[in-house]
Amino acid sequence: MSAAQKHVVAIGLSAAIVSVAEERPCVLIVKHRKDHGDALPFGPFDPLQHRTLEGGLRTWVGEQTHLDLGYAEQLYTFGDRGRHELKPGEGPRIVSVGYLALTRQSGEAPDTLWRDWYRYFPWEDWRGEKPAIIAEVIAPALAAFAKSAPHAGLSETRRDRARLCFGLEGLAWDEEKVLERYELLYEAGLVQESVRDGRDGADKPLPLGAGMVFDHRRILATAIARLRGKMKYRPVVFELMPASFTLLDLQRTVEAISGIRLHKQNFRRLVEGLGLVEGTGKVSALTRGRPAELFRFRREVLRERPSPGVRLGTRRAGS
Amino acid sequence: MSAAQKHVVAIGLSAAIVSVAEERPCVLIVKHRKDHGDALPFGPFDPLQHRTLEGGLRTWVGEQTHLDLGYAEQLYTFGDRGRHELKPGEGPRIVSVGYLALTRQSGEAPDTLWRDWYRYFPWEDWRGEKPAIIAEVIAPALAAFAKSAPHAGLSETRRDRARLCFGLEGLAWDEEKVLERYELLYEAGLVQESVRDGRDGADKPLPLGAGMVFDHRRILATAIARLRGKMKYRPVVFELMPASFTLLDLQRTVEAISGIRLHKQNFRRLVEGLGLVEGTGKVSALTRGRPAELFRFRREVLRERPSPGVRLGTRRAGS
DNA sequence: CCAATTAATACTCGTTATGAGTATATATAT
DNA sequence: ATATATATACTCATAACGAGTATTAATTGG
């Protein structure tokens, strides 16, 4: 191997392509590969053909999924050995660059399907009750993980991480800590991927949530976290909305993504107060109740205000 | 070239290593290379030797600079062709992963030096007056750039970007938009790097700020933006502080990084109210005025509150 | 047609956070 | 002793926020 080749790696591009339909946040999954779970669309970056990473991503996502990505942003570059190989140590070293893309749902391409992202992260959906899986499975398993630490200091640290991540012992739930939670479960050997990657503690009860290939669940966790955060200071939700929508449609979309319920009246006050939407005189043809006015996104806000986003309230309230 | 080699690239790791001394935010620069300006410490990622990207970074930063990086976080992966080569088209394709690291200043290694980061971004320091360079040079140059657009729509867009980025026409200054501002200046051909990269519009008046090698100034802009944002919701400033400090020391450090002045009394109220610091009975040996109490960082907050940071006020006030 | 139901929309109210001061205390320099 | 510089303590008005109640406009079942 020459000196030049020594530092050579392949770059993989993976995309968490998100849409929301029927109050369910969805991510695009490519079928094949039954071995280790679902996969995000991914492919190699070809440095000869593409000038930019994002350009490369857009090109082959277009080819594979027939989707036109509107919004896309880079998330993170993962390079850990042993976390993106089917079997540790096999094949060339791959560094994977994860992306988040938003789109409105449309016809599916041949080998893809939209899946509710809470399938992979059941503990992240707090729109109804607090997910029972936390108190029943996660909290005890993490307590055991803490107890099993080789020394007291580490044990303490693990307990603290569990408390802060999952809002145990009365601590507040922070919907943005998606990645921290997944990483903790990974380290504790509670997800399928850590078993696959051969970490010890692989004798744990049941794997939590549906597993994914390579490090794709980690990328998806990063994507959810980023979207939940970004929504608050940038009007990215509208990338997921049709041209016109009711304020409740909008609220349900925000709730689907953030995984928490919002106060309806305050949501309206906020969204109107920021000038994010404007009414179109028309009303929606609903089945029940007083018909709601249809609104559209006011693109102009982007030129008026520095950073308008849907700041969701700290705590959840009745819908 | 084989099929496997086709997708092969080299990964470069670059680090913006930051410290603050004497109210000046500094970044570590490696000397050599007089051709195109200063360089951040950077080096190749060796996939054979290192398990993780960050591990690789820490290793050779340790070798090159004799610094022990405490805090480090990944910023962004840049892969644009023509923006990290000394001469466009020469050499292998390099994808560069940028990092932000924080440290307390200590002895310098042989070929490195600490430089005030406002040397590269003179328009970012609003601690005194609004930087004169904005009204005198940047605003007119960007107006000309907008006017030179091939069609009216693009012209409008450019004008809007200039207004929002630089707070023109009475708009608020957003200290976090460091990268957007640099990118706009790059596109407008107003920084040395865009001239070097052979973009048109290279006949502009004078290059703004000191240039850097490769895409290092872009990485530094990303680092500053990230740090300015992160400071507000994570207690990262304390990575830059000594074990004990006065509240004014702390405020000056926050101001140095954010580039804006804060209200002293409110800063104290905030920082104490969040439980970020605790007094150590001792007072500092100052030269003038009433001696200030020395404080230390309360590490415990990390275990108590979900995300405590130094939320600096929107607008600046007298010191 | 009326009452119950459902949802949209409009207000209200108390609490907290924030921006911007004034007032007072404690040191040094002359 | 006085001027000056800084630290620290309070005050106050306003905006933002969480959590309601009240009212309006439609549908649905009798």
Side-chain angles (χ1 to χ4, degrees):
Chain A
M1 185 177 277
S2 79
Q5 279 181 307
K6 199 184 75 170
H7 292 132
V8 130
V9 298
I11 301 244
L13 300 172
S14 307
I17 305 174
V18 172
S19 72
V20 177
E22 317 277 305
E23 307 189 12
R24 282 170 38 225
C26 294
V27 61
L28 195 71
I29 295 298
V30 296
K31 280 181 194 158
H32 51 75
R33 302 194 170 274
K34 298 218 174 71
D35 34 3
H36 282 281
D38 295 344
L40 299 176
F42 72 104
F45 170 63
D46 179 356
L48 300 177
Q49 204 186 334
H50 296 115
R51 199 181 55 79
T52 66
L53 292 170
E54 192 177 313
L57 179 88
R58 284 180 185 273
T59 303
W60 66 250
V61 163
E63 288 168 8
Q64 276 184 33
T65 69
H66 302 284
L67 275 178
D68 193 21
L69 299 185
Y71 179 88
E73 85 172 71
Q74 188 186 298
L75 290 171
Y76 201 83
T77 299
F78 298 98
D80 295 14
R81 183 187 297 146
R83 278 192 68 162
H84 19 42
E85 291 140 14
L86 283 175
K87 307 227 163 138
E90 278 182 20
R93 188 65 179 272
I94 292 174
V95 168
S96 85
V97 183
Y99 278 81
L100 162 67
L102 304 180
T103 181
R104 286 163 204 89
Q105 217 167 86
S106 58
E108 290 176 0
D111 288 310
T112 67
L113 73 163
W114 289 107
R115 281 212 152 140
D116 188 323
W117 75 28
Y118 293 120
R119 168 193 178 85
Y120 309 102
F121 303 97
W123 54 87
E124 294 289 346
D125 188 0
W126 288 56
R127 285 175 297 175
E129 285 306 293
K130 167 173 170 170
I133 197 176
I134 294 179
E136 290 169 11
V137 185
I138 295 177
L142 288 178
F145 176 60
K147 194 157 275 175
S148 76
H151 61 272
L154 184 57
S155 190
E156 181 89 9
T157 307
R158 286 181 179 175
R159 229 186 313 275
D160 285 337
R161 282 178 69 196
R163 281 174 49 233
L164 285 165
C165 280
F166 287 93
L168 307 179
E169 300 167 32
L171 270 176
W173 172 258
D174 179 354
E175 76 279 354
E176 289 189 39
K177 292 200 168 62
V178 188
L179 182 62
E180 288 90 327
R181 284 186 282 268
Y182 174 71
E183 291 287 303
L184 179 55
L185 296 178
Y186 179 90
E187 287 175 40
L190 298 169
V191 294
Q192 182 231 301
E193 288 87 342
S194 43
V195 180
R196 175 200 70 195
D197 295 346
R199 293 184 66 94
D200 52 70
D203 51 332
K204 289 294 156 41
L206 67 175
L208 295 165
M212 296 183 86
V213 145
F214 304 135
D215 55 352
H216 285 189
R217 197 147 53 136
R218 181 148 70 145
I219 294 173
L220 181 53
T222 312
I224 297 172
R226 183 80 129 255
L227 183 52
R228 284 182 172 181
K230 192 134 198 173
M231 226 176 20
K232 293 176 189 163
Y233 61 94
R234 280 296 148 89
V236 283
V237 220
F238 299 100
E239 301 284 341
L240 301 164
M241 303 299 298
S244 74
F245 47 81
T246 69
L247 292 187
L248 189 57
D249 289 340
L250 183 63
Q251 184 182 338
R252 292 294 179 231
T253 302
V254 171
E255 289 174 340
I257 290 168
S258 65
I260 56 178
R261 284 262 170 253
L262 302 174
H263 185 282
K264 190 174 180 176
Q265 298 91 321
N266 290 350
F267 181 81
R268 161 180 288 266
R269 173 175 68 186
L270 181 82
V271 130
E272 289 194 298
L274 288 173
L276 284 169
V277 296
E278 66 187 349
T280 67
K282 294 170 201 152
V283 292
S284 80
L286 276 169
T287 34
R288 299 183 292 194
R290 172 174 169 180
E293 185 172 7
L294 287 169
F295 288 78
R296 76 165 67 88
F297 174 44
R298 280 190 67 240
R299 294 214 166 269
E300 311 90 89
V301 267
L302 292 168
R303 313 189 335 185
E304 298 161 3
R305 300 180 172 264
S307 62
V310 185
R311 302 192 297 272
L312 22 98
T314 316
R315 213 136 303 296
R316 73 231 186 86
S319 73
Chain B
M1 182 176 278
S2 78
Q5 281 182 307
K6 197 184 78 171
H7 292 135
V8 129
V9 299
I11 302 248
L13 300 172
S14 306
I17 305 173
V18 172
S19 70
V20 177
E22 318 276 305
E23 307 189 13
R24 282 169 40 226
C26 293
V27 60
L28 195 72
I29 295 298
V30 296
K31 280 180 191 160
H32 51 75
R33 302 195 171 273
K34 297 220 174 69
D35 35 3
H36 281 282
D38 294 345
L40 300 176
F42 72 106
F45 169 64
D46 179 354
L48 300 178
Q49 203 186 334
H50 296 115
R51 199 180 55 79
T52 66
L53 292 170
E54 193 176 313
L57 179 88
R58 284 181 186 273
T59 303
W60 66 249
V61 164
E63 288 168 8
Q64 276 185 32
T65 70
H66 302 284
L67 275 178
D68 192 21
L69 299 185
Y71 179 88
E73 83 173 71
Q74 188 185 300
L75 290 171
Y76 201 82
T77 299
F78 299 98
D80 296 14
R81 184 187 296 144
R83 278 193 68 162
H84 19 42
E85 291 138 12
L86 283 174
K87 307 226 161 138
E90 276 182 23
R93 188 66 178 272
I94 292 173
V95 168
S96 84
V97 184
Y99 280 80
L100 162 66
L102 304 181
T103 181
R104 285 164 204 89
Q105 217 170 86
S106 58
E108 290 175 3
D111 288 310
T112 67
L113 72 163
W114 290 106
R115 280 212 152 142
D116 188 323
W117 75 28
Y118 293 120
R119 167 192 178 87
Y120 309 102
F121 303 98
W123 54 88
E124 294 289 345
D125 188 0
W126 288 56
R127 287 174 296 176
E129 285 306 295
K130 167 173 171 168
I133 197 175
I134 293 180
E136 290 169 9
V137 184
I138 296 178
L142 288 178
F145 176 59
K147 194 156 274 176
S148 75
H151 61 272
L154 184 58
S155 190
E156 181 91 8
T157 307
R158 287 180 178 175
R159 229 186 313 275
D160 284 338
R161 284 178 68 196
R163 279 173 51 234
L164 285 165
C165 280
F166 287 93
L168 307 179
E169 299 167 32
L171 271 175
W173 173 259
D174 179 354
E175 76 279 354
E176 289 189 40
K177 292 198 167 61
V178 188
L179 182 61
E180 288 89 327
R181 284 187 281 268
Y182 174 70
E183 289 289 303
L184 179 56
L185 295 178
Y186 179 91
E187 287 175 42
L190 298 169
V191 294
Q192 182 230 302
E193 287 87 341
S194 44
V195 179
R196 175 201 70 194
D197 295 345
R199 294 185 64 96
D200 54 69
D203 51 331
K204 290 293 154 44
L206 67 174
L208 295 164
M212 296 183 86
V213 145
F214 303 137
D215 54 353
H216 284 189
R217 206 154 140 212
R218 182 149 69 147
I219 294 173
L220 181 54
T222 311
I224 297 172
R226 183 79 128 258
L227 183 52
R228 283 183 172 182
K230 191 133 200 175
M231 227 176 20
K232 293 176 189 164
Y233 60 93
R234 282 294 149 90
V236 283
V237 220
F238 299 101
E239 301 284 340
L240 301 165
M241 303 299 297
S244 73
F245 46 82
T246 70
L247 291 186
L248 188 57
D249 289 338
L250 183 63
Q251 182 182 339
R252 292 292 180 232
T253 302
V254 171
E255 289 174 338
I257 290 168
S258 65
I260 57 178
R261 284 260 170 254
L262 301 174
H263 186 282
K264 189 174 181 177
Q265 298 91 321
N266 290 349
F267 181 80
R268 159 181 288 267
R269 173 176 68 186
L270 182 83
V271 130
E272 289 195 298
L274 287 173
L276 284 168
V277 296
E278 66 187 351
T280 68
K282 295 169 199 152
V283 292
S284 79
L286 277 168
T287 31
R288 299 183 294 192
R290 173 175 168 178
E293 184 173 7
L294 287 169
F295 288 78
R296 75 165 68 88
F297 175 42
R298 279 190 68 239
R299 295 215 167 268
E300 312 88 89
V301 268
L302 292 168
R303 313 191 335 186
E304 297 160 3
R305 300 180 172 263
S307 60
V310 185
R311 302 192 296 275
L312 24 95
T314 316
R315 212 136 304 296
R316 73 234 186 83
S319 72

